[in-house]
Amino acid sequence: MEITFSLDEIDKAAKQVLSAPIKSVVLFHAGMGVGKTTLIKAIVRQLGVKEMTSSPTFSLVNEYETESGDILYHFDLYRLNTEEEAYDMGIDEYFYSGNLCLIEWPEKTPNLIPLDHTSITLKELPDGRRQLVLN
C-alpha cells in the first residue's frame, strides 16, 4: 500500500494504515524529522487512546490503553547504543506479547525484530507532503 498525504491529512492516513492487514509489530523507517512520531500519535488517536501521547525518546517505550482496553507499545530506539541494552530492558517480551508494538528506529535492534512484522517507510516529498509505503 502506498499513501501520499499532507500533515493536515495525517488522521486519514492513520485510518488507512489501520484498515490494512498489519502485524502486531510495526516498524517505522524514516529520517529524523520526517514524521514517524507524528504518524504514530495519529494511529494511537485512531485506536481511541485518550491520554496524552509523546515520544518515548528517554524512556524508550510508552504503554497506552486503547478505547477497547487493549494495550499497545510505542518504542523510540534512537538512544540505544547496543542491542544488549534493548534485550536487558526485556524488549523481546514486548515484541512477542501479541500487543501492538509501534517501533521507531528499528535499525538499532535488527537482530531482535521478529520476522513476522509490518514495515512502514516514510519519505518527505519536495512539496512537504509525505509518502508512506506499507509492506
Side-chain angles (χ1 to χ4, degrees), residues 3 25 32-33 35-36 44 46-47 49 53 56 61-62 72 76 78-79 81 91 97 100-101 122 129 131:
I3 306 166
V25 174
M32 186 75 74
K36 296 179 297 296
V44 169
Q46 292 302 316
L47 291 170
V49 172
T53 58
V61 62
N62 285 344
L72 71 89
D76 184 336
Y78 183 76
R79 294 178 52 83
N81 294 312
I91 205 165
S97 68
L100 184 60
C101 294
L122 284 173
R129 294 183 306 150
Q131 178 188 49

Side-chain angles (χ1 to χ4, degrees), residues 21 31 36 46 53 62 72 80 87 93 97 108 117-118 128 132:
K36 296 179 297 296
Q46 292 302 316
T53 58
N62 285 344
L72 71 89
L80 284 179
Y87 193 75
E93 292 177 32
S97 68
K108 293 284 195 159
H117 65 266
T118 298
L132 179 153

Side-chain angles (χ1 to χ4, degrees), residues 25-86:
V25 174
V26 183
L27 313 180
F28 290 79
H29 300 280
M32 186 75 74
V34 174
K36 296 179 297 296
T37 300
T38 304
L39 178 60
I40 289 172
K41 286 180 178 184
I43 290 170
V44 169
R45 259 193 320 274
Q46 292 302 316
L47 291 170
V49 172
K50 300 294 184 203
E51 63 196 274
M52 177 73 107
T53 58
S54 63
S55 177
T57 302
F58 296 101
S59 61
L60 298 180
V61 62
N62 285 344
E63 179 180 315
Y64 300 111
E65 186 173 343
T66 68
E67 198 169 54
S68 61
D70 295 323
I71 300 297
L72 71 89
Y73 302 106
H74 174 194
F75 294 86
D76 184 336
L77 304 180
Y78 183 76
R79 294 178 52 83
L80 284 179
N81 294 312
T82 66
E83 285 188 325
E84 187 175 321
E85 289 176 340

Side-chain angles (χ1 to χ4, degrees), residues 91-129:
I91 205 165
D92 55 329
E93 292 177 32
Y94 291 104
F95 289 175
Y96 293 97
S97 68
N99 295 317
L100 184 60
C101 294
L102 307 172
I103 307 164
E104 296 184 57
W105 301 104
E107 49 279 346
K108 293 284 195 159
T109 59
N111 298 307
L112 302 179
I113 300 295
L115 294 176
D116 196 23
H117 65 266
T118 298
S119 287
I120 292 177
T121 303
L122 284 173
K123 285 190 214 171
E124 185 173 3
L125 301 174
D127 64 3
R129 294 183 306 150

